Amino acid sequence: MYILFDIGGTKMRIAASRNGSEILDSKIVPTPKDFWEGMQTIKKISYDLIKGEKIDSAAGGIAGPLNKEKTMLVNSPNLPGWVEKPLVGELEHILASSVYIENDTAMVGLGEAIHGAGAKYSIVAYVTVSTGVGGVRIVDEHIDRSAAGFEIGHHIINFSSEAKCPSCEAGGHLEAYVSGAALEGYFEKKPYEITDPSVWEETAKILAYGLNNVAVFWSPEIIVLGGAMIVGNPAIPMDRIKYYFEETCKIFAENPVIEKASLGDVGGLYGAMEYLRQNLI
Ligand SMILES: [Zn+2]
């Protein structure tokens, strides 16, 4: 049996797969703030899911950048209690199997590239706009190589701006304009409470500029957009994102298509399953 997990800032999902090609039961619980409590929660749910069978291996994503060896979080605004804790070492101990972790956005992107909106394409950019902004480049069904991961939310969209990035606090980053945390900061209400269409129009325009930058650097065939700010209600309108993108991105003979993510909340589990298959099965 294989254990798949997706550890987010507020919730975590844990699932089992018998053969690495299908997901059996899954369970969603709040992510404990305390790392050791988190480990005990994952242990209990995992052993409940496998019903007495042996765990062959486990893989999953976690919210934040990882160290080079991919064994622990080095930073995470949402999971400060998990930073620099021995995540892989402890999971290997409690699950008595090998364990692989990746950045959660990279896992969702891998799932979308193989089983979701990007399935027909070889070069996929996955961009998530949620509390923060993240992204990953997938090439031929693999997470593209990188020295330190992908952090498109922190590219500079306005160099003369004082707007502070909600997660890294530098000025003028894309995340300071289009993320849920940024909108909540400006308007002092939750993004889903913002009903003024002009706010969503402006957010679509700025996001399209950001996607222009993603397109010219990564040259994808498709940009898959996910995250609560894209799939929620209200959301940044897809048709306006596409409109402004076409107005902005004029250099290619053919622009990448832009599509909404299609796997919903389980993209990360599909990505983890593929990651295991590629590394192990
Ligand atoms: Zn930033």
Side-chain angles (χ1 to χ4, degrees), residues 103-169:
N103 170 266
D104 61 341
T105 301
M107 283 299 199
V108 177
L110 185 63
E112 285 289 340
I114 298 176
H115 293 282
K120 290 185 294 187
Y121 301 88
S122 316
I123 306 171
V124 178
Y126 173 73
V127 175
T128 175
V129 188
S130 191
T131 307
V133 177
V136 63
R137 187 172 192 259
I138 309 286
V139 180
D140 294 333
E141 302 193 342
H142 286 75
I143 297 167
D144 201 7
R145 297 181 65 218
S146 70
F150 301 101
E151 290 293 348
I152 60 149
H154 307 278
H155 82 259
I156 293 171
I157 196 108
N158 183 354
F159 68 84
S160 60
S161 162
E162 297 286 308
K164 288 259 183 295
C165 183
S167 60
C168 80
E169 297 190 343

